[in-house]
Each structure stands twice: as C-alpha cells, then as structure tokens.
Amino acid sequence: MDLRKYTKEYALVAFVFLFLALLLYWPMTIGITSTVPNGGGDVYQTMWNLWWVGYALLTLHTSIYFSNLLYYPIGANLVTQTLSPLAGILGLPFQAGGLLFEYNIIFFIDFALSGLFMYMLADHIVGNKYAAMLAGIIFAFSPMHIAQSLGGHLNWTSIEFVPLFILLFMLTIEKKKVIYSIGAGIAIIFVIFFGDPEQGIITLLFAMLILLYYAFSRKRGEILSVKFAVNLIVMIFVAFVIGSPFLIPIIEGMQHGALTEAAELNGLQQNMLWSDPLASFFLPSPYNIIFQPISNTYRQIYSVDPTERISYLGYIALLLMLYGIYISYKKKNYFVVTFWLVTFLIFAWLSLGPYLQVGALNTVGGLPEIYLLYRNIPVLNIIREPGRFDLITTIALAILAAVGFKELLLKLENGKHSKNYPVYVTAAFVFLILFEYSGFVTSGNEFIAPHIPKAYYQIGNSTGNYTVLILPATINPRNAPELYLGMQMYYQTAFKKPIITGYTSRTNLSELFPQETLPLVQAAAELEATGNLVYSSPIRENYTNLTLMWLYNYNTRLVAIIRQAYSQSELTQLADYLYSVFGEPVYQSNTTIIFSTQSALSRVGSSFVAYTGPDWYPGWYLCEGYGINCNATVESLWFGSNVREIVAYSPVAKNYTMKFQSFAPSPTTLSIYLNGASASDLVKEFPASGVQNETASLSLMRGYNFIFFYAPNSTSVPPYMDFAVGNISFS
C-alpha cells in the first residue's frame, strides 16, 4: 500500500484496463458526448440522477432525497432511489460536456478502477502481479459486470470500491494500523454512495463472513484483540462521519417507513425473476457477439431480464480455479484457498434465489435455497435481486483463478529461458478470457444516442410555475424497463418543471395517486395495451371534464406525446382526442407533439364532475378470486375496501338523482352517506342481494361533495366482498 512506491505500477495497470474498456465499448468511445448503453428507461433514470444531485445541491439548495419535480403534487421520496450521490457530486465537473459525457466518463473510470483495485487485492493475497492482472480482468470484464453496464445500471457498473474495501479491511485485520481502518471506512461509503446501497449490504455481509472465518480458525487471535477492536470502531466512526450527509436521511426515511414499499416489491415471484438460473453459470452471455449464434438457442433463460440473470463464470477461470484449489491442497496451503472457496459457494448459492431454476424461469416452488432464509432478515432483504450476490462470487472466482494461474506460471517456469515468458503467457490468457467473456466487440444495438427535443429547452426558458404531462405516463410491461417514463425524466433535465409521473426505484404507491386519478393517463395506458382509447370506471361520466379538473388542480399547462410509444393508429386516436379537447398543437416534430391546456382549462368549474378514488377495482376480481357465478352485468361492477367513496363536484347547489347497480353475493344492508358518517348524513339505506338497480336523491352543495357507500363487514375475507356497485350516473 506504499502509494509512492507503486504509483507508476498502479497508473500503468489502470491505463491497461481503461484502454481495454475503450476498445470493448467502442461506440461510446467514438461518441463519448452522444452515445450511452441501450438500457431502456434505466439509463435515462441514471442520467436524471446525475443531474438531480447537482441541481438539488447547487440550484435548489435542498435535500437530494426528496424531489417535488416527480409525481407532482405528492413528490418523490428518493431514499430508496439508486441515486449514487457521490458519483453525481464527483461527476459534476464533467457535466459541462453534457449529461451523456458525464455518464461516459464515470462509466470508463469504473472499468479502469475495477481492474486496478481487484489487481491490488489479488496481488496482496496471491503475491504475483501477473496472476493479479488476470484477476483484474476476470472481475472488471466479467459477464455479470458487462451485463449490468449494458443494462444502463451505472450504480452497478461502479463496483470498483468493493475489492478496495475488502483489501483495506483485510489489512486492518492483518496489520492493525489505523490508516487502513480509516481507508476501509472511506471505501465502504464509496461502495454505498458511489455505487449502490445493495452493494454496501452485500459487502458488509462478506465482511461478517471474513470475521466468522477468522473466529473459527487458528487465526482467531487476529480479531480477538483490543487493537483490532479499536480499529474496527475507528472504521465505523469514519464511515458514519464521512457518510452522514447521506446516511442520516436514509435512516430517517427507514424510521418513517420508506422501506415498506421495498418490502412489498420483494415477493417470491419477483425474487425468482431476478435470480440466476443454474445453467447461466455455464452458458456464455448473449452479449458476447462471438457466441451470440449459439446463445440464441438458450436465450429464454435470460428473457425476463438479462441484466440480472447473466452470471457466466467462464471455463478458463473455472479451470484455473480448480487447478489452484488442487495444488494448494496438495501443498497443504489451506487457509486462504478454503476461505475463498467457501465464499464462492455461499454467494453463488445465494444468487440462485429462493428456489432453484435450472434453466428458464420457474414459478415459485421447487427445490428451496438459502436465499429463503436471507430474505426474512429485516433491512437486508431490500436486495430483491438475488443474482446480484454474483458480485462477491466473481471476486472469489478471480482470487481462486489467480491462485491457479500463479501455480501454472511456476510450473511453466521449469525449462523456460526467456525471462519475459510470464508476460506472454499472461497476455495469451487475458486475450482468451476477454474472448470468452465479451468477444471484444459489442453490436451497435447495445447503444443509443439520446436526443432531447428542442421544445423542452424552450419550455425551460419560459416563465411561470406549472407542470407538464407527458404521455405515456404509466408503467407498461411491454416497454420494461420503463423506457418512456425514464425518457421523460431525461427530458425534464432540460425544462426543469414538475411532471405528474416518474420512474423511480421502489416507488411508494401513494406517489402514483395523480396518474391513477387522471382519466387521460389511464386511457393512454389502455391505448398502449389494447390499441383502443377508452377509460373504464364505475361512473358513467364525461371524463374529459374530469381530466380537465385534475389538470387544473395540478396546474398543468402542457400535455405532450412521445410519438414512438404508439403505433400510427394509436397515435392518430390519441392526437385526435387531444386536438378535440385542446385545439391545435403548439409544437410538432418527428418525436414529439405538445398541446397547450390553457384555453380548455378556462372552462373548469362550470360543469358537473364525479370521480372515484384509487381504491376501486374492476368486478372481474369477484369472478376470478371468489367463485362467484359472474355474467356480463356482474363483471361490469366495481368493488373496493370499505368504505367506498365518490367525489362529486357541482358548480351550483342543486338536487341530483344518482342511479346505479349494486351486487351482493349474500344478503346485506347497503347504506349511502353524503359528506359525513353520522345519522344525519344518511341518504338511503336498503337491503341488497344479488344484482339490483337502485336510485338515490342527493342534495349537493356548491363545490366538492363526498358520497360514501357502506355495508357492514361480514365473515367474508376480505371484507370488501360484501358488495359491488357500478354503472353510476347522475342527472
């Protein structure tokens, strides 16, 4: 760790890895200000992250962990967002060349440092610089790392500080010097906040494994000393002090339930989606252009999400690992090899997820794995992608392969007369491993050149505080990862005004309320899914009026369409409808159509409007889940959690008649209340059984009125099964 002594060596090693990365990702190299990986919405979200950190700190002077620019008017809690704030801060000088330039500079630095820090760790453990170089290649250019980088996951491209922390943590144990514990404390903060909190959890889990291994070995005295305990405390203290600007908001967010949504998204089926199939350890990555023709035969094992399910280990690395284990045990060098072998097996096992998948995606069930135990550990279980445990698996593989390569060099040394033979042998193995892992050249399909329509820059130069609605504005599995939601966040970096939607990691469901209540947003989503511009609801109402009311409440001045999200027929339907509501578009290009809402919103408040909250669900749930003999009438009804609410806006005080259909699978009493829950607010109470047509007279006041449907809870589970209503109309 004598940096002065090894400066030239480390600079040369970093340059080699940088050169190889520039060669491998040549489209980004030649288009360093215009080209990024084709990572769907994830790459756009990452560029927004880089922009937001600097914009929040330097322009808004606010916390980076909350943004009212997304999901307006509720705003976005970014505690569980993949922000990588240190990358955003340290990358700010490069933002002068544009967000794409900043992204690419960080991207290539990641590869240079990944190779360098793995080289340093392997050199410390194995004691052979040629073997250490090979370990750096295995780690930096592993198929797992390449897949994450091409998936637009800059936070998981930045994995370089993990081997650096491991090196410093091991030196803290071995040397007992405070300088190493300080370095380890700083390194773990970079793991978490230059990379990703999930990396931090995985790395700390590995650090615990190191301590356990020492505790149950003959070297337990290394950690059972006062000096090590003091250094460990120093490491924790330094990490908290350095990371406190980021750690404290996260801790506060955890106390206020910020991780609740993360837990909800951690279901077994979702774990299965992002687990490693066993076969993926032994089948070359489909990103390798050399092996692409044969990978087409087994591509289905990656079809869910190749970014998370690619875990190819490589036969050269595996053979070197096995050779190193064999020779080490033959020489009775047990300690190091056994530890790294145990590490390799444990983290590879965790990466298999809750149930074993040999090939293609399985449904929940089958042979259970240890991840089932891990996922029940609070806080730690926010890692919903078991395949990411490959991070430590790859480090262990690299170390064990380095052990084998060192032994191979020693064996080849006999009879060799050229002192440069290790260089030639190492170069040959580097070439073969890169060939096996990447094929050297990636196809152009893996890269894109994002472009922000100039209209969004013009919006950014306009005065006034208002919001922008960009369609499509909801999740569509057809476009996963959420391409168009991420794209509009990228556009927002130009116009810097709030949008009603967004694309964030582990989104809190309450943040989605605005887009769920906007009929236009839901109709556009239905258009993507079915090709028809429709909006379904228990209320038969003029939904243009409701859309305009919400746009008025959200102060939405512009509605835009991303043209490529729709087919030509779909685009025609949507554009024609918006034209009928808002008039001629104010901007059109081959990518974007923008309408002004100002003229249409002037009519808001002059029409009756009724709408439901987000807790109403289509009646086919009744048919699918609870064995009710349904017909078309019942299927058109809606249900929700008790109590169900309708909000009615009346421009003047007036009497209305509300007609609707009710359905009760068993006899019950249905009550309707207006604006309250007391006896004086009761409008009507009547027995309900089967499908009935009902009428209620309402005396509505000027403004907003609240109509409640209520039935006593019965023994049915869940209680909202007591009744359903639909086909509601007002006159």
Side-chain angles (χ1 to χ4, degrees), residues 213-232:
Y213 192 74
Y214 269 89
F216 289 96
S217 73
R218 290 174 298 175
K219 294 190 176 185
R220 65 178 62 89
E222 297 280 3
I223 64 171
L224 299 178
S225 67
V226 174
K227 199 165 187 180
F228 173 72
V230 170
N231 284 334
L232 189 62

Side-chain angles (χ1 to χ4, degrees), residues 537-543 608 610-612 616 636-638 644-646 648 657-662 672 694 698 707 709 723-731:
S537 170
I539 306 176
R540 291 160 32 201
E541 177 57 71
N542 184 336
Y543 287 100
F608 174 89
Y611 61 94
T612 61
W616 290 78
S636 68
L637 301 178
W638 292 63
R644 278 142 269 190
E645 175 190 72
I646 290 177
T657 297
M658 179 177 69
K659 295 181 179 180
F660 62 96
Q661 283 184 311
S662 70
I672 299 175
E694 300 292 353
L698 303 173
I707 304 163
F709 291 83
F723 73 92
V725 298
N727 298 317
I728 305 169
S729 63
F730 295 85
S731 60

Side-chain angles (χ1 to χ4, degrees), residues 679-702:
S680 61
D681 299 311
L682 181 64
V683 174
K684 189 172 183 179
E685 187 176 66
F686 51 88
S689 179
V691 178
Q692 296 186 19
N693 296 315
E694 300 292 353
T695 301
S697 297
L698 303 173
S699 180
L700 301 186
M701 60 184 178
R702 181 178 181 274

Side-chain angles (χ1 to χ4, degrees), residues 227-532:
K227 199 165 187 180
F228 173 72
V230 170
N231 284 334
L232 189 62
I233 293 171
V234 168
M235 184 192 82
I236 296 170
F237 176 78
V238 168
F240 188 80
V241 170
I242 299 295
S244 58
F246 315 117
L247 287 170
I248 291 175
I250 290 178
I251 293 171
E252 290 175 345
M254 290 168 58
Q255 292 174 338
H256 292 88
L259 295 185
T260 301
E261 187 62 25
E264 290 179 5
L265 290 171
N266 200 14
L268 285 174
Q269 188 60 52
Q270 289 177 307
N271 293 152
M272 298 287 283
L273 294 177
W274 297 305
S275 299
D276 288 339
L278 183 62
S280 69
F281 288 133
F282 307 103
L283 296 173
S285 166
Y287 284 125
N288 186 327
I289 195 170
I290 303 298
F291 294 108
Q292 263 184 1
I294 66 169
S295 72
N296 288 331
T297 62
Y298 54 82
R299 186 176 289 269
Q300 72 273 12
I301 73 171
Y302 306 117
S303 60
V304 179
D305 188 351
T307 302
E308 304 296 347
R309 289 169 68 88
I310 288 175
S311 55
Y312 180 57
L313 300 173
Y315 289 101
I316 296 173
L318 281 173
L319 289 173
L320 287 172
M321 179 185 83
L322 293 174
Y323 181 72
I325 293 170
Y326 169 73
I327 297 297
S328 296
Y329 276 86
K330 190 175 180 181
K331 293 181 177 181
K332 298 184 178 180
N333 296 330
Y334 301 123
F335 185 80
V336 170
V337 171
T338 301
F339 169 72
W340 287 104
L341 178 58
V342 169
T343 297
F344 175 85
L345 294 174
I346 288 176
F347 281 87
W349 195 3
L350 282 167
S351 72
L352 293 175
Y355 297 97
L356 179 65
Q357 302 173 69
V358 175
L361 177 67
N362 293 349
T363 55
V364 171
L367 186 64
E369 308 298 325
I370 59 170
Y371 182 82
L372 276 175
L373 299 175
Y374 173 85
R375 71 185 301 275
N376 291 309
I377 303 174
V379 180
L380 298 186
N381 64 7
I382 68 168
I383 300 176
R384 57 178 176 150
E385 303 93 347
R388 293 187 174 183
F389 285 102
D390 278 343
L391 176 63
I392 303 298
T393 306
T394 305
I395 290 176
L397 172 68
I399 294 295
L400 291 170
V403 171
F405 189 66
K406 176 185 176 181
E407 296 295 340
L408 182 64
L409 289 177
L410 291 173
K411 189 175 183 64
L412 293 175
E413 187 176 10
N414 297 329
K416 295 291 181 182
H417 302 290
S418 171
K419 66 178 182 179
N420 292 324
Y421 89 93
V423 176
Y424 303 141
V425 174
T426 303
F429 270 84
V430 166
F431 177 87
L432 290 173
I433 288 173
L434 285 175
F435 180 88
E436 185 182 14
Y437 279 179
S438 70
F440 294 106
V441 181
T442 50
S443 67
N445 293 332
E446 268 77 42
F447 304 94
I448 54 172
H451 170 71
I452 300 178
K454 66 179 182 179
Y456 290 115
Y457 291 101
Q458 297 170 354
I459 294 170
N461 293 329
S462 66
T463 58
N465 297 318
Y466 58 89
T467 68
V468 179
L469 172 62
I470 303 178
L471 301 173
T474 58
I475 291 174
N476 184 343
R478 187 175 70 185
N479 303 319
E482 312 309 329
L483 176 61
Y484 300 113
L485 297 182
M487 192 178 290
Q488 60 183 273
M489 287 175 63
Y490 177 56
Y491 293 167
Q492 189 185 55
T493 65
F495 62 79
K496 303 177 180 65
K497 297 186 185 297
I499 57 177
I500 294 172
T501 185
Y503 174 40
T504 54
S505 307
R506 298 169 178 83
T507 305
N508 187 303
L509 292 179
S510 64
E511 296 169 356
L512 303 179
F513 177 82
Q515 66 187 53
E516 289 179 347
T517 54
L518 256 171
L520 174 57
V521 169
Q522 295 302 316
E526 187 73 12
L527 180 65
E528 277 188 284
T530 67
N532 298 311

Side-chain angles (χ1 to χ4, degrees), residues 143-259:
M144 173 273 298
H145 194 204
I146 291 173
Q148 291 286 350
S149 69
L150 291 176
H153 296 169
L154 192 63
N155 55 317
W156 271 87
T157 308
S158 304
I159 59 174
E160 60 266 33
F161 295 104
V162 176
L164 179 63
F165 168 80
I166 294 171
L167 172 60
L168 292 166
F169 187 68
M170 295 179 73
L171 286 169
T172 300
I173 295 173
E174 297 166 11
K175 306 294 185 183
K176 309 292 190 301
K177 291 184 178 180
V178 71
I179 187 66
Y180 296 129
S181 59
I182 292 173
I186 296 172
I188 193 62
I189 290 303
F190 271 79
V191 168
I192 298 171
F193 296 114
F194 196 97
D196 186 90
E198 288 185 342
Q199 283 184 43
I201 291 174
I202 292 171
T203 303
L204 292 175
L205 191 66
F206 175 67
M208 291 173 61
L209 182 62
I210 293 175
L211 295 178
L212 284 173
Y213 192 74
Y214 269 89
F216 289 96
S217 73
R218 290 174 298 175
K219 294 190 176 185
R220 65 178 62 89
E222 297 280 3
I223 64 171
L224 299 178
S225 67
V226 174
K227 199 165 187 180
F228 173 72
V230 170
N231 284 334
L232 189 62
I233 293 171
V234 168
M235 184 192 82
I236 296 170
F237 176 78
V238 168
F240 188 80
V241 170
I242 299 295
S244 58
F246 315 117
L247 287 170
I248 291 175
I250 290 178
I251 293 171
E252 290 175 345
M254 290 168 58
Q255 292 174 338
H256 292 88
L259 295 185

